[in-house]
Each structure stands twice: as C-alpha cells, then as structure tokens.
C-alpha cells in the first residue's frame, strides 16, 4: 500500500499549511478553514457570518462576481464556500496542474473581497427563504428546536441563522465582522493531491504570508442546560420525535467505541433501531441515531417520524433499545459494525477532496493528523468491554426530548 507523504508548516502569521502528496491521483483538492462562524456572530445578528461568507464570493480582488466565477470555470475547478457554527470553509477540487491558478482566487476571497453592498439583499432573501421554509419541514424544525434546547449559548444557535438578525444586518456590520474574524491566526489550509509539498509551500508563502490578524478563540463552552421533555403543538399528519444525550468528544477516550456503538444501533438495515422499530413492529418509516463530536462536546441524536397513533409506542421502543445495549452486543454485530465503518473510511478517504477535508478537520480540532491506519486500527481494537464502558459512561437515562405534532407523549 502506498503511503502518502504529509508536510505541516505553520506560517509566521499563524496560518497552518498541510500538504499531503498523493502520487496515485491526478487531481488536487484544497480546504481552507477560517475561524469565523455562527458562534462568533453578535447576538443581535445571528446568521451574519452566513451572509458574509456568501458575500465574499460576489467579487474579490480585481474580479467581479461573474469574472470570479468564470475564472474558476476556466480551470475546471469545482468549488464551494460555506459557513457553519465554528468556521467559514472554502473548498475545491481540480486537476493538479491548475492549482497555481486556483489558490490566488481563494486568497482574494478571504483577503480582498469586494463585499458589494448591492448583493446583500439577494443573499439575505435566500437565507430568509431557507429559514421560513423550516416551518414546512417538520423533521428539520424539530431538530432545530432540539439543538437550541440541548446546547448552551452560543453553541445552540440554529445553523440557518435567525430571521431577525439576518433581516437587519448592514454592510458596515458585515465589514466589521470580516475585519474581526477573517484572520490567518488559527486558520488551516489543507491541500491533498498530486503536488509537490515544497512547491506548494512557496506558493502559499507568496499568497498568504503577509495576511495579518489576531487569533480568534472559540467562546467558552458553558454548563449544559437541564434536560427534559418538550412538546411543540401543531396539527400535522405525522408526529416528530427527537432526543439528544451526551457522547464522547472527538478522538477522546471512548470515541471509537462510540462510533461502533452508533453503527450497532443505526447501521442501516441491520441497526437495532431499524429492526426493532420499523421491521418488527412497522411503527415508522424513518428511525435513526447519529453521533457527532468536536473537541468541545459529543452528542447522540435519535429521531423518528410516525403517526400520532403510533408515536407513544415508537418512542417507548426507541428508548428501550437505547437503554439495553450494554451487555447484549453479539459477535456478529461487533464484527459487522467494524467492517462497515472501515469500508466506509477506505472508500471515502481515497479521494483528494476527502483527504484535504479530513486533514483540515483533524488539525482544526486536534492540532494533529490521524492517519487512515490509526483510525482503522482504533476501530478494530474496540472490544465488548469498550462498548459496555461507553454505555456506562454515556447512558441514555436523561435525554433532552423534543416532539412536534398533535399529540404530547409521556416519558416515565
């Protein structure tokens, strides 16, 4: 198996450059993570970072919005720009021979955006449409409510932003947000593909070394809100059930056991929730559990959508399955879950885009890179005792529960 070479360089301004040489591919991909996002928005303008990131694509350097788009198209670059809770991300993939032409475009967007005032209303309109559409999407609405109740401020802010804040944000406030948060100090630029690390570093030094800015720290993660049961009364044909409870932090002790445990519970058609709730009892069409983690926190989120008549039984069976895993995992379940996770890892990590993205994420949260071998070996090493210890440490005994529909459920 070919081992990819990785080089990590920290520029004097605080920007970390990660280059992974992949000789077996002809492509290259980049992911630039800038330390801005919804948690950094002022409370009066939650969602401003979403608008700002989109605005940086509407002309940069000496190129108009159309000219910038055409420049990417001319070199065959598939690119995307987005803002999340913690970061703004600028990503793209293209033929390796065109990287020298792509990165100056990225540098212009994060360093010299034109921020045209006349584009704000169009972006604002799209963001507001997305927010208003949530009321017509019950599953998304219940998950939004769950997030806002489960996490402390500002980590509970909706990923779509808030209509009030987006509706009143001004160009001056967006410029202030840009100056405050678009900084190289803490930013991560990850590049993976058929490139030479030394040559890439020279290019990055030329493009980014004189970029200045203060280090942007994440807000302090405060105490978790008290968990309980909440119901949103609406007349609807279906009843939405969602719940959340703690899991491990990213790559912390027990993290890989949490990955295996999640697959045992919700690994496709063989997951326990699917079998017990849908296949055996026919209570609903969709039921799942997902686990997500950062270096700040980890969370398990379960969901089911069903009819009001079957909602209480659906909820009761879900809770029973989530509570009884300890000591009941079979050899077949453990082996299958490990194989599922490792197969997914291998297939996803073969592309340059996946490597660029995962390297950026690892460095952002861990300040180190995890190799594919490390991850696979850690998954393979999970034992029955590890699974049981995980459920001992993170039981589903006091979840945050949010339901949405015409019937309120009971939880003993």
């Amino acid at each position: 198996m070919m081992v990819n070479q990785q080089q990590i360089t920290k520029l004097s301004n605080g920007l970390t450059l990660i280059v992974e040489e992949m000789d077996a591919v002809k492509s290259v991909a980049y992911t630039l993570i800038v330390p801005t996002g919804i948690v950094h928005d002022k409370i009066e303008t939650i969602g401003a970072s979403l608008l700002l990131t989109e605005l940086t694509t509407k002309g940069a350097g000496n190129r108009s919005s159309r000219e910038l788009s055409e420049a990417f198209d001319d070199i065959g670059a598939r690119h995307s720009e987005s803002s999340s809770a913690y970061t703004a991300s600028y990503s793209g993939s293209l033929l390796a021979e065109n990287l020298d032409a792509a990165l100056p475009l990225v540098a212009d967007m994060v360093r010299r955006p034109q921020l045209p005032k006349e584009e704000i209303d169009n972006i604002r309109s799209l963001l507001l449409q997305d927010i208003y559409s949530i009321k017509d999407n019950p599953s998304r609405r219940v998950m939004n409510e769950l997030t806002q109740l489960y996490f402390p401020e500002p980590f509970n802010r909706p990923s779509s932003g808030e209509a009030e804040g987006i509706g009143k944000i001004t160009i001056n406030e967006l410029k202030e947000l840009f100056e405050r948060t678009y900084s190289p100090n803490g930013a991560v630029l990850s590049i993976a593909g058929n490139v030479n690390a030394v040559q890439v570093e020279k290019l990055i030094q030329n493009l980014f070394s004189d970029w200045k800015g203060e280090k942007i720290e994440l807000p302090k993660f405060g105490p978790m809100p008290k968990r309980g049961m909440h119901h949103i009364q609406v007349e609807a044909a279906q009843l939405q059930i969602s719940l959340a409870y703690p899991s491990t932090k990213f790559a912390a002790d027990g993290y890989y056991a949490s990955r295996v445990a999640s697959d045992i519970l919700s690994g496709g058609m063989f997951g326990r929730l699917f079998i017990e709730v849908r296949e055996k009892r026919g209570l609903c069409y969709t039921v799942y559990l997902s686990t997500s983690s950062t270096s700040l926190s980890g969370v398990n989120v379960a969901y089911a959508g069903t009819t009001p008549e079957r909602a209480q039984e659906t909820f009761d069976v879900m809770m029973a399955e989530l509570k009884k895993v300890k000591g009941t995992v079979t050899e077949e379940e453990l082996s299958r879950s490990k194989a599922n996770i490792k197969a997914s890892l291998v297939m996803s990590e073969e592309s340059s885009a996946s490597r660029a993205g995962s390297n950026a994420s690892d460095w952002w949260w861990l300040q180190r890179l995890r190799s594919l071998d490390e991850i696979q070996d850690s998954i393979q090493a999970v034992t029955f005792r590890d699974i049981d210890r995980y459920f001992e440490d993170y039981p589903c005994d006091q979840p945050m529960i949010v339901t949405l529909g015409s019937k309120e459920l009971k939880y003993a």
Side-chain angles (χ1 to χ4, degrees):
M1 181 176 66
M2 184 174 293
V3 178
N4 298 330
Q5 299 296 316
Q6 296 172 333
Q7 177 175 301
I8 301 169
T9 305
K10 191 163 187 176
L11 276 62
S12 59
N13 60 7
L15 171 67
T16 298
L17 170 65
I18 303 166
V19 182
E20 181 165 334
E21 298 179 346
M22 303 174 66
D23 296 337
V25 301
K26 294 182 179 180
S27 64
V28 66
Y30 63 85
T31 294
L32 172 60
I33 293 177
V34 181
T36 185
I38 290 177
V39 299
H40 296 288
D41 290 343
K42 293 180 179 179
I43 194 154
E44 300 85 3
T45 53
I46 295 173
S49 56
L50 302 174
L51 203 162
L52 175 60
T53 301
E54 184 65 25
L55 194 60
T56 63
T57 72
K58 303 303 182 181
N62 59 4
R63 294 180 176 87
S64 67
S65 178
R66 180 175 179 177
E67 290 169 339
L68 184 63
S69 179
E70 289 177 346
F72 277 113
D73 289 343
D74 288 345
I75 56 176
R78 292 178 294 177
H79 65 103
S80 63
E81 297 78 33
S82 62
S83 185
S84 65
Y86 310 103
T87 65
S89 179
Y90 295 76
S91 300
S93 58
L94 62 159
L95 291 176
E97 62 198 52
N98 292 328
L99 182 64
D100 288 7
L103 290 179
L105 306 178
V106 179
D108 278 344
M109 284 192 289
V110 300
R111 298 193 58 192
R112 293 172 289 274
Q114 295 176 2
L115 303 181
K117 181 180 179 180
E118 64 273 13
E119 293 282 358
I120 293 178
D121 285 344
N122 290 334
I123 301 171
R124 191 198 322 269
S125 178
L126 292 173
L127 293 174
L128 291 176
Q129 286 179 42
D130 181 56
I131 292 173
Y132 297 146
S133 71
I134 293 174
K135 288 188 176 181
D136 298 322
N137 189 329
S139 61
R140 188 178 172 193
R141 181 180 175 186
V142 78
M143 286 300 184
N144 267 14
E145 295 288 342
L146 181 67
T147 297
Q148 291 179 63
L149 288 167
Y150 182 80
F151 289 103
E153 162 69 26
F155 302 94
N156 65 343
R157 294 175 175 180
S159 60
S160 56
E162 293 183 350
E164 182 179 359
I166 291 173
K168 67 182 182 182
I169 191 74
T170 67
I171 184 60
N172 288 335
E173 289 169 318
L174 290 172
K175 288 179 177 179
E176 184 278 330
L177 179 62
F178 176 80
E179 292 298 328
R180 175 166 57 90
T181 62
Y182 268 67
S183 170
N185 201 337
V188 181
L189 175 56
S190 174
I191 296 171
N194 195 336
V195 294
N196 178 278
V198 174
Q199 293 176 357
V200 170
E201 182 183 347
K202 290 180 180 178
L203 175 63
I204 299 306
Q205 290 282 4
N206 289 334
L207 292 173
F208 292 99
S209 63
D210 59 343
W211 184 17
K212 304 299 181 183
E214 300 297 321
K215 185 169 179 59
I216 308 301
E217 300 286 355
L218 283 173
K220 184 178 179 181
F221 198 91
M224 298 292 285
K226 182 179 179 181
R227 296 193 287 273
M229 193 164 191
H230 304 264
H231 179 67
I232 304 167
Q233 185 70 25
V234 297
E235 291 304 317
Q238 278 210 328
L239 195 140
Q240 314 295 318
I241 303 169
S242 67
L243 60 94
Y245 61 100
S247 185
T248 57
K249 296 179 181 179
F250 183 43
D253 185 41
Y255 170 74
Y256 294 101
S258 76
R259 294 282 306 275
V260 176
S262 178
D263 192 85
I264 289 170
L265 283 165
S266 194
M269 296 179 64
F270 293 100
R272 288 192 179 190
L273 289 175
F274 184 91
I275 292 172
E276 295 297 328
V277 179
R278 174 175 164 171
E279 291 299 289
K280 287 186 178 180
R281 297 173 175 83
L283 294 172
C284 66
Y285 182 79
T286 302
V287 59
Y288 66 82
L289 176 135
S290 63
T291 301
S292 60
S293 304
T294 69
S295 63
L296 302 174
S297 69
V299 62
N300 289 304
V301 174
Y303 166 83
T306 185
T307 62
E309 295 76 20
R310 295 184 173 187
Q312 187 66 56
E313 185 180 0
T314 300
F315 175 68
D316 292 343
V317 175
M318 286 175 65
M319 292 302 301
E321 290 304 313
L322 294 174
K323 289 181 176 182
K324 75 177 187 182
V325 183
K326 178 186 172 183
T328 67
V329 176
T330 66
E331 180 66 47
E332 181 183 3
E333 286 179 312
L334 184 63
S335 298
R336 182 173 57 237
S337 294
K338 289 181 179 181
N340 286 344
I341 296 170
K342 290 191 293 183
S344 178
L345 278 169
V346 170
M347 288 187 287
S348 67
E349 292 298 312
E350 287 181 340
S351 74
S352 56
S354 292
R355 291 306 303 156
S358 60
N359 285 345
S361 179
D362 275 3
W363 194 267
W364 174 260
W365 290 116
L366 304 177
Q367 296 293 292
R368 72 178 185 88
L369 303 182
R370 298 175 302 154
S371 68
L372 183 58
D373 285 343
E374 176 189 342
I375 300 171
Q376 288 185 303
D377 290 346
S378 297
I379 292 293
Q380 186 59 40
V382 173
T383 65
F384 290 108
R385 177 57 188 145
D386 294 329
I387 297 292
D388 287 348
R389 187 181 300 113
Y390 170 71
F391 284 107
E392 289 173 4
D393 293 340
Y394 301 97
C396 182
D397 58 357
Q398 193 180 9
M400 182 72 80
I401 303 164
V402 180
T403 56
L404 184 151
S406 61
K407 179 181 178 181
E408 190 166 355
L409 304 184
K410 297 179 180 179
Y411 176 47

